[in-house]
Structure formats: C-alpha cells, structure tokens
Amino acid sequence: MTMLTARKSMAALVLGLTACSSGNGGGISGGSAADNAAAGQNGTKTNSSAGDAADAGDSAGPKTFKLWLGWTATINNDSMVQKYWREHDPGIDVQLESTQGDAMTALNLKLNTGGFDDAALFGRSDIVNSSMIRSGDILPMEKYFDMPDKYPGLASIPKQYLDAMKDKDGHIWSIPTWFDQNPSDPWPGWASLGWFVRTDVLENTGMTKDDLKTIDGIEKFLRAAAKQKDASGKALIPLSFLSDANDENVILSTFGVSTATAGGVIPVEKKDDGSYEFIYDNPQYKAAYQWMNKMYRDGLIDPEAITDKSERYKEKTKSGRIAMNAGGFFNMDAHIWEILDGPTEPAWYIDTIPYPQAPGVSKIGANQIVNPYPGNDLYISKNTKDLDAILKFVDYMLTPKPEQQQIANEGPPGVFWDWVDKPLGLWKFIDSNYQQLHDSGDAAKIASTNPALYGLSSYSNEWYPWWNYALTEPKGRQKTIDFTQAIGKMGGIRVAQPYDMVKAKPGGQWEKYLPELENVRKEFKAKLIMAKDDKGFEAAWNDFQSALEKRAHWSDLKTEWNATLQEQTAAANG
C-alpha cells in the first residue's frame, strides 16, 4: 500500500456519487415521523445515571472504553498510536471491536442481545439511526454540545449540522463526526472524474492539448489515435471508459448534465426560474448519448466498454492499449503511475485535460457533490460506565484544527511524524519503524501503527494531509495529487444543496420504483450507445422514454419528489 492510496476509503466516505445514487451517507439525517416519535418516547428512558455521572464530573472510574466499529477492520488494540493516547494525551484507553460480515445484520444482532458496551461508530444512515433509537439503548447527546468549558471540541461542531439532527422533541441521538469544519468553504474531496490523454500518443498525432479544448477537437484526436499502434503492434483503442462504474458520467457532464447527488434519490439541477430539472428530462442527456453512439459506430469507443469489468479495463490502461480515457482515474488504477519514477511505462504519459467544450453548453454538469455534512455518527450506550472517557476522547478527536484528521490518524506532530518546515506545510514521518510498518502493505503491520480512526475526527479545506506529504519518490506519486487538484477546479464539483438530499419516503413511490428506475437506466444506456444507426438510436430513445413512464412511473416519482422537497424545506425552516 502506498502512502497516497492509504486513505482511498476516505474518498468513499465523502463522495460515493454515481448517476442515480440513492445512498444514505452524508446527507441531512432525521428519519421518518415514526422514528422521531420513537425517539421522543425514548428520551426520558435514556436519561440515565451514566449521563448524570458525566455531568457531575465523575472521573473515579478507569479512563477506558470499548468502541465498536460498524465496518470490517484489522484490529490491534496495542497499536503505537493507541499506546500514545493511553499514556499521554488524551489519557484514554480505547479498545476497538470491528464488525464482521454485513453491518446491518451485525447491528440487529447486537441490539437484540443486550446492545454494545460503550460506544459505536457507524457510517451515517437513516436505517442505522432508526435502529439505534428504537432499541432504547442509547443516550441523547444534545446537552453535551453546549458545554464549551468541559467539551470545547463538541461545542465547536457547526450548529447547522446539529440542528439537522434534532428530532421533534429536540433530542440528538449521536455525536456527528467526519464533517467539514467550515461548511461555507468545504474541502472539495478526491476529485477523480475527468478526461485523460496519453501525451505520447497525442504527440505522435501531431496535436497538442490546446487542440483538445472542444468536442470537435476530441473527435479529431480519436480519429488520429485510431491509426496509432501499441507496443505489440495492435491498433490503439481511441477512447474507453468503465461503464460498469458509470464512467460515462464524465461525458454526460461535458454535455451539461448533472449526474451526482448527496444521498438523494435522483440527480437534479435548479433552473433559473426556480424549477427543478431531473437528469432524464435534460435534453442534453440525449445529446450526450447521441455523441457516444456516433463515436461507437465509427469505431472510436472501445466496443467492450459496456461489458468490461474493472480488472480488464485496468489491464488495458496499464498495458498502453488506450489512447484516451474518460471517467474516474481510480477506476483506471492510480497505482500504475504511482509506482513509476520516469517514462518507463505507458501510464507515465497519462495526463488530465480540461473538460472539452460541447455545442451549446455554457456550464458542465456536476458529477461530484461536495457534502460537508457528517459522514459518521457515534452512538453511546445508556449502560456505559465510562461516559466521561468517551466524551473526552471524542472531544479531543473533534478539536477544530485544520490538521486534526492527521493527528487523529497518526498522533500529534513530533511523535511519529512532524512538519518539514512550518505548520500546515509539508509533513513527513520521523519514526522509521512506524513508517516501515505503515507503508508495508500488510494489514496486520499497518494495524500495529494506528487504528485508522480519522473518521472520528473532522477535516478542513485549509490543509489536507495527503496533498502535503513530503514524499517525492517515486515521482509518479505526485501525479495523483496533481490530477485531483486540477480536476477539482474544472467545474464539475459543487456544494450540496437541499434538493441533492431528497430521500425516499417510507412506503412511497421512490421506495417502490427506484430499483426499476435504475434497471431502466442501465438497460437503455447500453442500447443508446450501441444503436446501429440514427433510426435505431431514435427507436431506443423512444423506448427509453416509454420505459421510464410505464416501468418506473416517472411522472409519479417526480410529483412525490417535489412534495418531499417541500416537506423537507418546511421542516428545516422550523
């Protein structure tokens, strides 16, 4: 495992945005009216002696607690960072337990057999939240966010995050973590969706990056690249993408179609007149597929793009079979250039280019929604005997410093790592044994360094550790950082809005028909791209429109969506 790829899981926590994502992570939480009613019923019941002990400053017990993680992890509770926490700051012994197998199955089993011991950290989910509240086994947390003298980290959580978590009785049932410290200027995340060209192939065609600023220029390059050969003498694949991972979203974005949500049921954009345009109603959705169909029919798109799986696509990219890629560079496999120190493999020549200008498009569509809202929730058992230890530890982890996620993961500066020149500049490891184990690629050895609890902290756009790591060898490591920073400025990213977070109502149309809507999308994206001629494309498009209505009840879905947004807006405004 390289230093740079060590936190790719972090990207998943922040992003997770595909064409029709309906995930629960990262959006405004709250649950249904029934959930809130259950929360109200549990409010008095869970105001237990554990809470009273914390309020009274009871610190006689051991400063230790068990933390149950809602995901699979390799655990070593004697890791170097945990030793530091135990022996120095914050003076807490944190003992971890991970989840094996399906997280929801494990949660239900745990809650039905006495609950967890002290604290549980899960990715934000309405289902998890509802299950925790209904169990009656957790403490309400709202009063601890208003104790700045005792818990300054908890008191620093942006108020808008906490307000969104309150039930109808004002209770907040978890401590939010893994959020942006400054929601008005959020960290853009690991931007990875873009256009990528092999610069050696580009040079061989006699063209330059300036020639690729328009869709017409892209087309000209693809036709020229089709005449080039790879190292084995085979004709190059002009353009490819991993459709299995919805990489064609980059092409849709190029044509002005937004493809991302922030946990909502459907990608939507707000128009100048205040109305909302759904992804499949945007006329540019058709225009984008018309262009892809044209390229496919002319042999300029990999004929296997629709059916390829990840490993085969990565191998084609690594071996130099592809002249241009559209999509996510992690799908291409960043490791293929991160291990290089010079122009010894085709991957060295891969470079990103700005989104090309498509006819009639003034602004590219959003394919990544920056959601500053919390990604994780920490729940505390009403039966814990170590409430003060839990609160003090989480308070420490939520200290509002730009570098806090680094401190949460690797310990404070001066122990295992330190600044190269100045705070919030470059950093490096200063403990060679720690670094050797950390970068070994062996899960057990990595776990001996730290428990990877950055998800219990927060992050900031002011400083991001893996863009400031002072490791320049091999030189290819820097390419991933350069790519993500460049793509983050290309216009395909915007901050989440309420309409990006509209979720399916329990028992409603979206809950019923969303799976079929996704089936329709997948079925017809293939038919539209691979249509044999213009007549066949129009027939496929008309069938797509019919399937949206007949199979997925498209009109009913949009009606319910608008009603749900109004309800959500009214609730947010009190």
Side-chain angles (χ1 to χ4, degrees):
M1 179 182 293
T2 68
M3 290 303 306
L4 186 60
T5 56
R7 292 200 194 175
K8 285 182 184 176
S9 59
M10 186 184 305
L13 285 171
V14 180
L15 310 179
L17 305 170
T18 58
C20 289
S21 173
S22 59
N24 293 312
I28 295 177
S29 180
S32 67
D35 298 335
N36 291 335
Q41 292 166 5
N42 289 336
T44 303
K45 176 182 176 183
T46 56
N47 191 9
S48 70
S49 58
D52 297 336
D55 294 340
D58 180 11
S59 58
K63 295 299 180 188
T64 183
F65 72 94
K66 294 180 181 179
L67 177 60
W68 180 38
L69 302 177
W71 52 81
T72 301
T74 301
I75 300 298
N76 180 341
N77 279 315
D78 204 29
S79 72
M80 296 184 211
V81 169
Q82 283 167 281
K83 283 182 181 179
Y84 182 89
W85 291 337
R86 185 165 61 238
E87 298 170 3
H88 301 283
D89 194 21
I92 306 293
D93 182 10
V94 184
Q95 295 292 302
L96 303 180
E97 174 191 356
S98 71
T99 298
Q100 302 301 320
D102 179 68
M104 286 310 305
T105 300
L107 174 62
N108 290 330
L109 179 62
K110 182 84 76 172
L111 294 178
N112 289 325
T113 55
F116 52 92
D117 292 309
D118 296 309
L121 182 66
F122 273 74
R124 175 154 288 196
S125 164
D126 286 344
I127 298 174
V128 170
N129 198 54
S130 297
S131 297
M132 289 288 192
I133 294 170
R134 287 187 179 123
S135 75
D137 290 333
I138 60 174
L139 285 169
M141 293 285 103
E142 61 274 2
K143 59 185 174 183
Y144 304 113
F145 302 123
D146 195 26
M147 298 181 180
D149 293 338
K150 190 171 185 179
Y151 304 120
L154 299 184
S156 73
I157 299 172
K159 188 174 182 293
Q160 69 191 72
Y161 301 157
L162 297 175
D163 286 346
M165 296 170 64
K166 291 179 180 178
D167 68 13
K168 65 182 180 65
D169 296 316
H171 293 304
I172 299 174
W173 294 95
S174 64
I175 297 175
T177 72
W178 198 240
F179 52 79
D180 201 298
Q181 294 170 13
N182 185 359
S184 63
D185 182 27
W187 174 65
W190 280 94
S192 65
L193 298 171
W195 291 82
F196 302 87
V197 66
R198 284 261 305 282
T199 55
D200 57 336
V201 176
L202 183 65
E203 183 178 350
N204 289 340
T205 65
M207 299 177 67
T208 68
K209 287 185 179 179
D210 283 342
D211 298 319
L212 305 179
K213 291 182 176 180
T214 66
I215 279 291
D216 286 344
I218 295 290
E219 209 171 310
K220 180 181 178 182
F221 168 73
L222 297 180
R223 297 187 188 282
K227 301 175 183 178
Q228 303 292 318
K229 306 289 185 181
D230 67 10
S232 65
K234 297 179 181 178
L236 288 178
I237 298 169
L239 174 65
S240 193
F241 50 83
L242 184 61
S243 185
D244 193 50
N246 299 311
D247 270 351
E248 67 274 4
N249 284 355
V250 164
I251 298 173
L252 289 168
S253 293
T254 302
F255 278 80
V257 180
S258 290
T259 61
T261 78
V265 289
I266 191 76
V268 177
E269 280 294 345
K270 190 173 185 178
K271 301 178 71 174
D272 292 339
D273 63 2
S275 63
Y276 297 96
E277 184 173 64
F278 296 81
I279 180 172
Y280 307 127
D281 294 340
N282 187 334
Q284 289 298 109
Y285 188 88
K286 180 180 182 181
Y289 276 102
Q290 282 178 313
W291 184 81
M292 284 186 266
N293 176 242
K294 178 185 176 184
M295 295 300 98
Y296 184 88
R297 283 155 48 189
D298 290 351
L300 303 178
I301 285 180
D302 185 354
E304 297 176 325
I306 297 297
T307 57
D308 264 351
K309 298 300 179 183
S310 178
E311 289 308 312
R312 179 163 172 77
Y313 175 68
K314 288 178 180 180
E315 180 55 36
K316 287 180 180 179
T317 304
K318 180 181 179 181
S319 64
R321 294 280 297 119
I322 301 169
M324 177 173 279
N325 301 69
F329 65 69
F330 287 122
N331 295 335
M332 296 161 61
D333 190 2
H335 186 70
I336 64 176
W337 55 72
E338 288 178 1
I339 62 174
L340 302 178
D341 207 26
T344 55
E345 299 288 342
W348 180 264
Y349 298 98
I350 294 174
D351 203 357
T352 188
I353 59 172
Y355 280 66
Q357 176 66 51
V361 176
S362 59
K363 182 181 179 181
I364 70 172
N367 51 44
Q368 181 172 313
I369 304 296
V370 177
N371 189 354
Y373 279 79
N376 295 329
D377 286 288
L378 182 84
Y379 298 91
I380 300 180
S381 170
K382 69 174 185 180
N383 297 315
T384 182
K385 296 180 176 60
D386 301 292
L387 178 59
D388 193 51
I390 300 170
L391 292 174
K392 285 185 176 179
F393 183 74
V394 180
D395 185 75
Y396 168 80
M397 297 292 271
L398 290 177
T399 302
K401 295 180 179 180
E403 70 273 28
Q404 189 60 27
Q405 65 158 297
Q406 173 76 351
I407 294 172
N409 205 65
E410 314 288 359
V415 181
F416 304 116
W417 67 277
D418 209 346
W419 305 110
V420 171
D421 44 13
K422 59 183 179 180
L424 303 189
L426 296 177
W427 68 275
K428 66 178 181 180
F429 285 116
I430 57 174
D431 184 312
S432 60
N433 180 51
Y434 185 96
Q435 181 176 4
Q436 183 178 5
L437 293 168
H438 190 284
D439 292 352
S440 66
D442 183 293
K445 291 180 179 179
I446 295 169
S448 74
T449 63
N450 70 72
L453 278 187
Y454 57 83
L456 195 56
S457 65
S458 57
Y459 53 91
S460 170
N461 196 23
E462 190 174 344
W463 188 80
Y464 184 67
W466 299 104
W467 294 352
N468 291 281
Y469 180 48
L471 182 65
T472 58
E473 295 180 357
K475 295 176 182 178
R477 294 175 185 264
Q478 187 63 35
K479 287 175 73 72
T480 301
I481 297 171
D482 292 343
F483 286 171
T484 193
Q485 290 182 317
I487 293 170
K489 300 174 183 177
M490 289 181 184
I493 300 174
R494 63 168 174 77
V495 177
Q497 301 297 320
Y499 54 83
D500 298 312
M501 304 178 187
V502 176
K503 299 181 180 179
K505 296 176 64 174
Q509 299 293 307
W510 278 99
E511 186 175 80
K512 184 176 181 180
Y513 293 114
L514 184 56
E516 186 60 18
L517 180 65
E518 179 65 359
N519 290 337
V520 169
R521 181 189 73 85
K522 288 182 177 179
E523 175 184 336
F524 281 94
K525 77 172 182 179
K527 290 181 177 180
L528 291 169
I529 291 174
M530 297 189 294
K532 293 183 178 180
D533 50 34
D534 290 344
K535 183 178 179 181
F537 180 88
E538 287 299 325
W541 178 259
N542 291 333
D543 289 344
F544 174 50
Q545 299 302 301
S546 178
L548 283 174
E549 197 61 49
K550 293 180 179 179
R551 289 167 51 185
H553 297 252
W554 185 230
S555 294
D556 293 338
L557 291 180
K558 290 187 289 186
T559 298
E560 183 178 274
W561 185 94
N562 279 287
T564 304
L565 177 63
Q566 290 180 5
E567 294 170 6
Q568 174 181 298
T569 303
N573 293 334

